[in-house]
Amino acid sequence: MADAKARATAAPPTIRDVAELAGVATSTVSRALSNPGRVNRVTRERVEQAAASLNYVPSSQARGLSSGRTNAIALLVPDVTNPFYFDIIRGTQNQLKAAGYTQLLVDTEESAEMEADTLRKMQRTADGFILAASRLTDAQILEAASTQAIVTINRSSANAPTVMIDTPGAVVQALEHLTSLGHSKICYVGGPASSWSNAKRWKTFEDESRERGLITSHVGPFTPKTTSGAAAADAAARTGATACIVFNDLLAIGMLQRLRERGIRVPEDMSIVGCDDIFGADFCNPPLTTIASPIEQAGRVAVSMLLAQLDPLHAGSTRRLAVMPTHLTVRGSTGPAPS
Amino acid sequence: MADAKARATAAPPTIRDVAELAGVATSTVSRALSNPGRVNRVTRERVEQAAASLNYVPSSQARGLSSGRTNAIALLVPDVTNPFYFDIIRGTQNQLKAAGYTQLLVDTEESAEMEADTLRKMQRTADGFILAASRLTDAQILEAASTQAIVTINRSSANAPTVMIDTPGAVVQALEHLTSLGHSKICYVGGPASSWSNAKRWKTFEDESRERGLITSHVGPFTPKTTSGAAAADAAARTGATACIVFNDLLAIGMLQRLRERGIRVPEDMSIVGCDDIFGADFCNPPLTTIASPIEQAGRVAVSMLLAQLDPLHAGSTRRLAVMPTHLTVRGSTGPAPS
DNA sequence: CAACTTTTGGCAAACGCTTGCCGCTTTGGT
DNA sequence: ACCAAAGCGGCAAGCGTTTGCCAAAAGTTG
């Protein structure tokens, strides 16, 4: 019975209740709880006991109002649906929880505008922001970073601390892997045009391929979803390439399906290399050779960098850039070039 | 340059600034912005203009303090990593955003204790809670529901409004599917012991199997992760069953891998039916026959029910239970029983 | 035109907490 | 034993909103 109807009866205890029970002033309670060392041990213990017996939980609202800090940070991702971001979400969530912060998760729907808007709307709500694969321009990032603490993931910018995933490094590995298998006509299957990391991957691909004297092609842009895989596969097949390096695993998995439908065998007729090593890359058919990276760790590092920015203690030691290592995980989707 | 170092200069405008600029009292600004109709139109427009020109964003903290509402709801999931919850997260996120609410995502790590703890700690932080696959006891839910707005997903309880996914209905479909394929020895592969929906599925399985005169077995409990699939597959194989209905797709996919390793062909030697139709179920090898449900929609419905609870306007019409339909999606992991 | 009712805007009191400042006790040094 | 310093707790002023109450202005009615 005691549900919605009966609710809203007893108001939760406030700091005042605790103070009264402990026989001290509210200021003492506040300090005892959030600044131990500022009060005598016996006092603190008395306060703690009172708080515990009342089941007291400080109001983060009130705390935020008066202290100016919210103890929350916002994580902006382009698409909560994309498994790539799930590892980031998990990583940040873990680290934030450990630091006593709350995570505010926002899906910006791949839109720069929405991202900027969120940044503005939440300026008071969050102490800082982690921008995953931001679609913002350098200027926008600069502006945002000028008023709030920001860390970007996979979107390098001189204007804010960044966690990079060293995909370029792994693109080289992938290329080496493919050439050693005898491939010489390789296609890069591109992701969203607005994606910074897509541009980066493509460029590395171009440069490195040229150096190796490979015949390259490029198709795209494609939305990074499995559903775009069909179009991507068709386009890639048309280029005559015997191997593809694909913007991300989602797209690659979609391609795998389409290629099977079309009777193009992977890896016999065409080799596919994905990127990110997301959930599913290991059990799709065939299992995907992919550029793996410690995504979850990237999330954790981002949090650390952000927290360092917030905490004056660490102000000096703030790193501006962290690069996460990557490596090629070879599975079944790559094989010798067709002779 | 204008980053961390130079930050913290200009404080964001407050309601006072807006009031001053518009030449009215702060109370009028407050009303103009959040209760239009309470002020004259020309006044409102003046205020709106002032607010816009200052780029004013109300402090949710202060608003929460004085109004008692936070405009945030918390979503508690046992494991953010589990793709099943991806869809719930997405569904709630969408619906909440549409209603102007912020989502607080919390991973309770499959722990009832952590769940209860979060509920307590966030009582002031969130206006309501959505408990996905709650591990709480009925009594705990009752207690929580008595002080805060709560909706559960896949955890029926008389003590709080619930969104159910009608898996039992689909278990029947799965059983029918399997028997029509000639299977008579079927094994239920169980999920976490503390999972309510696991218990429900198992019971339906038992009842329906008995009615059909099938030879059943049961293995488990298993952690619902792909990594537990190996153990589950081995256990299931030992029972001599020719088909398995598996607690969820994660586990089922893990089993698929293990069975392949062991040379047990799916579906020739053994048929597998999963549950949830998560991301990946369609492209694993073989594609998984599974009990599909509109999970994202379940998330949306949960939000609606919660918001109805919060908004006194809808107080009367609050539904206590919503049941989401399910259906069997047949793919490659089920086939005729071995003869 | 008087007597009302509505509409509209302002005043000021919360909301629950933090924190600068002050002053009383202890403590320690000489 | 005296004084400075350190330790500790209280006072009270905010933090940025919302909202109950009131009064002035405007509109309505007979």
Side-chain angles (χ1 to χ4, degrees):
Chain A
M1 297 305 106
D3 65 22
K5 307 299 177 187
R7 201 172 339 102
T9 33
T14 76
I15 199 173
R16 212 126 38 199
D17 301 321
V18 178
E20 199 169 325
L21 181 59
V24 297
T26 62
S27 50
T28 303
V29 175
S30 173
R31 285 193 275 252
L33 262 30
S34 55
N35 191 359
R38 180 59 177 74
V39 301
N40 189 296
R41 210 187 64 197
V42 320
T43 315
R44 170 161 54 77
E45 276 165 4
R46 193 146 39 93
V47 170
E48 279 167 352
Q49 208 156 70
S53 84
L54 287 169
N55 214 334
Y56 168 70
V57 181
S59 150
S60 53
Q61 311 258 21
R63 195 198 290 261
L65 227 206
S66 66
S67 71
R69 275 165 290 103
T70 65
N71 260 268
I73 80 97
L75 171 64
L76 276 54
V77 301
D79 177 13
V80 276
T81 288
N82 184 329
F84 171 74
Y85 298 112
F86 264 86
D87 289 320
I88 290 186
I89 293 173
R90 179 160 37 144
T92 54
Q93 164 100 37
N94 280 349
Q95 197 75 352
L96 284 171
K97 185 151 53 182
Y101 277 73
T102 302
Q103 174 179 93
L104 276 19
L105 176 64
V106 182
D107 184 339
T108 57
E109 295 170 14
E110 314 257 6
S111 143
E113 190 184 328
M114 176 133 186
E115 204 177 325
D117 208 52
T118 304
L119 234 27
R120 206 177 56 77
K121 288 229 180 87
M122 299 189 88
Q123 52 179 327
R124 284 271 216 5
T125 311
D127 290 343
F129 295 81
I130 295 179
L131 272 35
S134 175
R135 261 53 168 159
L136 261 29
T137 65
D138 273 346
Q140 286 177 302
I141 290 188
L142 176 64
E143 187 195 337
S146 73
T147 57
Q148 39 216 304
I150 284 189
V151 169
T152 58
I153 297 182
N154 249 9
R155 169 63 172 84
S156 150
S157 158
N159 303 322
T162 298
V163 177
M164 283 300 304
I165 294 177
D166 178 32
T167 322
V171 165
V172 175
Q173 286 181 47
L175 238 25
E176 224 125 67
H177 171 63
L178 291 174
T179 54
S180 81
L181 286 168
H183 294 274
S184 59
K185 296 198 295 198
I186 305 182
C187 175
Y188 178 75
V189 179
S194 59
S195 161
W196 186 88
S197 59
N198 179 55
K200 196 80 189 288
R201 285 171 204 183
W202 186 11
K203 182 165 187 338
T204 311
F205 171 79
E206 291 277 282
D207 294 351
E208 295 289 332
S209 299
R210 189 171 310 117
E211 230 166 71
R212 288 170 170 68
L214 300 171
I215 302 166
T216 69
S217 52
H218 170 263
V219 296
F222 295 103
T223 310
K225 310 203 171 189
T226 54
T227 46
S228 304
D234 290 351
R238 236 183 347 258
T239 67
T242 60
C244 294
I245 294 184
V246 185
F247 169 65
N248 77 0
D249 286 352
L250 236 29
L251 201 50
I253 288 172
M255 290 177 68
L256 251 29
Q257 292 182 282
R258 174 63 168 187
L259 292 171
R260 178 147 8 96
E261 279 170 29
R262 291 190 44 181
I264 300 176
R265 294 165 305 163
V266 176
E268 290 79 359
D269 302 325
M270 178 176 277
S271 286
I272 301 282
V273 177
C275 194
D276 293 344
D277 196 17
I278 61 170
F279 171 84
D282 57 334
F283 63 72
C284 56
N285 183 14
L288 195 63
T289 293
T290 189
I291 295 172
S293 46
I295 309 178
E296 187 177 337
Q297 197 190 337
R300 281 203 296 269
V301 171
V303 169
S304 302
M305 288 170 76
L306 189 58
L307 261 30
Q309 236 182 105
L310 293 175
D311 185 348
L313 281 184
H314 301 255
S317 67
T318 309
R319 270 196 302 171
R320 307 276 311 166
L321 178 66
V323 176
M324 310 307 293
T326 54
H327 66 272
L328 188 70
T329 295
V330 177
R331 298 203 183 93
S333 68
T334 48
S339 45
Chain B
M1 297 305 106
D3 65 22
K5 306 300 176 188
R7 201 172 339 106
T9 32
T14 76
I15 200 173
R16 211 124 42 198
D17 301 321
V18 178
E20 199 168 326
L21 181 59
V24 297
T26 61
S27 50
T28 304
V29 175
S30 172
R31 286 192 274 253
L33 263 28
S34 54
N35 191 359
R38 180 61 176 72
V39 302
N40 190 295
R41 210 187 64 199
V42 318
T43 315
R44 170 161 52 81
E45 277 165 4
R46 193 146 41 91
V47 169
E48 278 167 353
Q49 209 156 69
S53 85
L54 260 56
N55 215 332
Y56 168 69
V57 181
S59 151
S60 53
Q61 311 257 21
R63 196 197 289 261
L65 226 207
S66 68
S67 72
R69 273 165 291 104
T70 65
N71 260 268
I73 78 98
L75 170 64
L76 276 53
V77 301
D79 176 13
V80 277
T81 288
N82 184 330
F84 173 74
Y85 300 111
F86 289 17
D87 290 316
I88 289 186
I89 293 173
R90 177 159 40 142
T92 54
Q93 164 101 34
N94 280 348
Q95 197 76 351
L96 283 171
K97 185 152 53 184
Y101 277 73
T102 302
Q103 176 178 94
L104 275 21
L105 176 64
V106 182
D107 185 338
T108 57
E109 295 170 14
E110 314 257 6
S111 142
E113 189 183 331
M114 176 136 186
E115 205 177 325
D117 208 51
T118 305
L119 233 28
R120 207 175 57 78
K121 288 229 181 86
M122 299 189 91
Q123 52 179 329
R124 283 273 213 4
T125 311
D127 291 342
F129 295 81
I130 296 180
L131 272 35
S134 175
R135 261 51 167 162
L136 260 30
T137 63
D138 273 344
Q140 287 177 301
I141 290 189
L142 175 65
E143 186 194 337
S146 72
T147 57
Q148 38 216 305
I150 284 188
V151 170
T152 57
I153 296 182
N154 250 8
R155 168 63 171 83
S156 150
S157 158
N159 303 323
T162 298
V163 178
M164 283 299 304
I165 294 178
D166 178 31
T167 324
V171 165
V172 175
Q173 286 181 48
L175 237 26
E176 224 125 66
H177 171 64
L178 291 174
T179 54
S180 80
L181 285 169
H183 293 275
S184 59
K185 295 198 294 196
I186 306 182
C187 175
Y188 178 76
V189 180
S194 60
S195 161
W196 186 89
S197 59
N198 179 55
K200 196 79 188 288
R201 284 170 204 183
W202 186 11
K203 180 163 187 344
T204 311
F205 171 80
E206 291 277 283
D207 294 350
E208 295 289 332
S209 300
R210 188 169 313 118
E211 230 166 71
R212 288 172 170 67
L214 300 170
I215 302 166
T216 68
S217 51
H218 169 265
V219 297
F222 295 104
T223 309
K225 312 205 169 186
T226 55
T227 44
S228 304
D234 289 351
R238 232 183 348 260
T239 67
T242 60
C244 294
I245 294 185
V246 184
F247 169 65
N248 76 0
D249 285 352
L250 236 29
L251 201 50
I253 289 173
M255 289 177 68
L256 251 30
Q257 293 181 281
R258 174 62 169 187
L259 292 171
R260 179 147 6 95
E261 280 171 28
R262 291 191 42 181
I264 301 176
R265 294 165 305 161
V266 176
E268 291 80 359
D269 302 326
M270 177 175 276
S271 288
I272 300 283
V273 178
C275 194
D276 295 342
D277 196 16
I278 61 169
F279 171 84
D282 57 333
F283 63 72
C284 57
N285 183 14
L288 194 63
T289 293
T290 189
I291 294 172
S293 47
I295 309 179
E296 187 176 337
Q297 198 189 334
R300 282 203 296 269
V301 171
V303 169
S304 302
M305 289 171 73
L306 188 57
L307 260 30
Q309 235 183 106
L310 293 175
D311 184 347
L313 282 184
H314 302 257
S317 68
T318 310
R319 272 195 301 170
R320 307 276 310 169
L321 178 66
V323 177
M324 311 307 292
T326 54
H327 67 272
L328 188 71
T329 294
V330 177
R331 298 205 184 91
S333 69
T334 48
S339 46

